[in-house]
Amino acid sequence: MRKSVIFSIIVAILIIIAVAVALTVVLTRRSSTIEKTTTTSTGSPGSTSIGTTTTSSTTTTTATTTTTTTTSTSTTTTSTTTATTTTTSTTTTTTTTTTKLMFINNTNPKWTSEGYTFAGGNGYGQALNQLFYPRSIFIVDNDPQSIYIADTNNHRIVEWKYNASNGQVVAGGNGQGNRLDQLFEPIDVFVDQKNDSLIICDQGNRRVIRWFLQNQTDPEIIISNIYCGGLTIDNNGDLYVSDYNKNEVRRWSIGDVNSTIVAGGNGKGQELNQLNYATRIFVDRDYSVYVSDAENYRVMKWIKDAEEGIIVAGGRGGGTSLDKMYMTNGVIVDHLDNVYVSDMANNRVIRWAKGSQEGSIIVGGNGSGNQSNQFISPRGLSFDQQGNLFVVDMYNSRVQKFNIDIV
């Protein structure tokens, strides 16, 4: 009897031990599973993913925005809190998405032959629904609903919003003069978003002036004693200004009082190292400078640090044929290095494909007039992000918009 009781107790103890061991194993495995399931790695500051590492990088240029995302997913995760070593298998997938002007993807884009009046068009005058011989425009990349216009003979800069019947004076407008609150025939304007200001080519006062949009600071003169024909800013924030009297283009780096000649500077002439009445300029992503060389009837490209330029449009004397232009002005260049030029005296806008010996008319070319397919001395040019073309129609005192023709 006693032996039987003792035996039963021993068996019960063994059973309890076995159950305890089993529970320990189960809990251990469950803990390990939880650790493996919740192990995370950080892909970017402020973000966490489970079993996934994500790295994002974004690169933006004057005309192109590229976003690349690389995702690496581990099919087996190693917990760093255990002594167990496992093999990790990794699969990497790379996806690249490119956003750019629509027409860039087309080697031969077209625009509607008839434009519509975006700004002005109510005769020349100084009312807010009028312009008076405007010369240039600027479109802010992230705000395609408004443009800034150098309203030259009204001595002011006007912002004109999409579908608005009137413009808004944002600089000048206080009569012709040389006070800091006045302008004298401004012919070009650039919006410096970083400093929330306008950079203005104040031609009549022979100066380049910065005008702050919030009016918290008085305007400031950046450059004096210059016959400014056009200006622009590159991706580094450096300022480029053409001087039509000295037949040169200079660059001012940020914080530097001295400037560097980047085109011309060898006197008036038609040699490859010379210019003759330099007006509008454009700087591309490689810091090459394109110059509208008006009285040489050509556009010159000066590669960075080059001692002479390359003819990329015209250069065969003045004329009406497609291999010639007559008094060039506005110039812009697209992603494919196509050059777009306002051919003033021929009342047309010409595109010169890279390496081409002649241009093609994209808008205008229908004689001088005020119809929707005509100009009287086209000047400044600009594209919005959709590829629509804006043309300053100077003597019609208006800005015309030509929608890109998506086929």
Side-chain angles (χ1 to χ4, degrees):
M1 180 74 177
R2 181 180 294 178
K3 290 182 179 180
S4 176
V5 171
I6 293 172
F7 179 77
S8 297
I9 293 172
I10 292 172
V11 170
I13 293 172
L14 291 174
I15 291 172
I16 292 170
I17 292 172
V19 170
V21 170
L23 287 173
T24 301
V25 172
V26 170
L27 291 173
T28 301
R29 289 182 179 178
R30 184 177 178 183
S31 175
S32 177
T33 302
I34 290 172
E35 285 179 355
K36 291 182 180 181
T37 304
T38 59
T39 299
T40 64
S41 70
T42 303
S44 60
S47 65
T48 305
S49 57
I50 298 177
T52 304
T53 302
T54 304
T55 304
S56 299
S57 97
T58 302
T59 304
T60 303
T61 67
T62 306
T64 303
T65 304
T66 303
T67 303
T68 303
T69 304
T70 303
T71 304
S72 300
T73 304
S74 300
T75 58
T76 304
T77 308
T78 302
S79 172
T80 58
T81 58
T82 68
T84 304
T85 302
T86 60
T87 302
T88 301
S89 174
T90 303
T91 302
T92 302
T93 304
T94 302
T95 304
T96 302
T97 303
T98 303
T99 304
K100 58 183 71 173
L101 289 174
M102 290 184 196
F103 75 92
I104 292 297
N105 295 321
N106 187 340
T107 57
N108 188 32
K110 298 182 183 300
W111 288 263
T112 54
S113 60
E114 298 195 6
Y116 74 88
T117 301
F118 186 96
N122 298 302
Y124 64 84
Q126 60 183 356
L128 289 178
N129 68 341
Q130 294 178 306
L131 300 171
F132 193 173
Y133 298 166
R135 301 289 186 90
S136 70
I137 53 176
F138 186 90
I139 300 177
V140 180
D141 287 343
N142 59 9
D143 184 16
Q145 299 302 311
S146 64
I147 63 176
Y148 292 81
I149 307 167
D151 189 9
T152 304
N153 282 34
N154 278 326
H155 316 292
R156 66 191 185 186
I157 306 298
V158 176
E159 180 185 12
W160 207 294
K161 294 186 180 296
Y162 181 71
N163 278 340
S165 56
N166 296 328
Q168 176 186 355
V169 178
V170 292
N174 299 306
Q176 172 187 319
N178 62 5
R179 298 195 314 260
L180 281 180
D181 67 337
Q182 292 179 308
L183 299 172
F184 182 8
E185 295 186 353
I187 63 170
D188 205 0
V189 59
F190 190 98
V191 179
D192 181 2
Q193 290 179 273
K194 182 178 179 181
N195 294 296
D196 196 24
S197 62
L198 304 174
I199 309 297
I200 302 168
C201 182
D202 190 9
Q203 176 191 230
N205 285 318
R206 293 180 56 195
R207 65 188 183 188
V208 175
I209 190 168
R210 181 188 297 277
W211 202 291
F212 293 93
L213 289 172
Q214 299 302 319
N215 294 324
Q216 296 175 345
T217 307
D218 290 336
E220 62 180 16
I221 298 172
I222 300 176
I223 305 168
S224 299
N225 299 317
I226 186 169
Y227 290 89
C228 176
L231 55 80
T232 191
I233 294 178
D234 67 19
N235 291 334
N236 290 331
D238 294 344
L239 174 64
Y240 297 71
V241 184
S242 65
D243 186 323
Y244 59 81
N245 185 55
K246 292 182 177 179
N247 296 293
E248 65 185 22
V249 179
R250 287 181 174 267
R251 181 185 68 233
W252 278 263
S253 296
I254 297 174
D256 194 347
V257 296
N258 297 315
S259 60
T260 302
I261 295 176
V262 294
N266 297 297
K268 177 181 177 180
Q270 61 183 358
E271 301 299 325
L272 293 179
N273 68 343
Q274 294 179 307
L275 299 169
N276 185 2
Y277 206 87
T279 57
R280 300 292 186 271
I281 53 179
F282 180 93
V283 178
D284 69 13
R285 60 194 178 278
D286 298 319
Y287 306 103
S288 295
V289 180
Y290 294 77
V291 186
S292 187
D293 190 9
E295 294 188 3
N296 279 327
Y297 316 115
R298 67 188 184 184
V299 174
M300 301 293 290
K301 177 183 179 180
W302 290 66
I303 297 172
K304 185 178 181 182
D305 298 326
E307 295 183 358
E308 63 181 29
I310 303 166
I311 299 173
V312 292
R316 293 174 173 82
T320 60
S321 59
L322 290 178
D323 64 338
K324 296 179 181 180
M325 295 181 290
Y326 196 37
M327 295 299 291
T328 61
N329 195 264
V331 58
I332 46 179
V333 183
D334 70 20
H335 176 70
L336 298 175
D337 291 335
N338 295 315
V339 179
Y340 300 78
V341 191
S342 56
D343 186 5
M344 288 194 306
N346 287 322
N347 295 299
R348 63 192 184 184
V349 177
I350 300 281
R351 176 180 62 222
W352 292 73
K354 185 177 181 179
S356 176
Q357 298 302 306
E358 65 177 29
S360 59
I361 299 172
I362 60 171
V363 291
N366 299 302
S368 174
N370 62 5
Q371 300 301 308
S372 58
N373 65 347
Q374 293 179 308
F375 303 112
I376 304 179
S377 191
R379 298 296 179 109
L381 303 175
S382 188
F383 287 117
D384 64 17
Q385 285 191 315
Q386 286 70 46
N388 303 310
L389 174 64
F390 292 73
V391 183
V392 176
D393 188 6
M394 178 176 170
Y395 289 118
N396 280 319
S397 293
R398 66 186 183 181
V399 175
Q400 294 290 91
K401 179 182 179 182
F402 296 85
N403 291 324
I404 190 165
D405 191 3
I406 304 297
V407 180

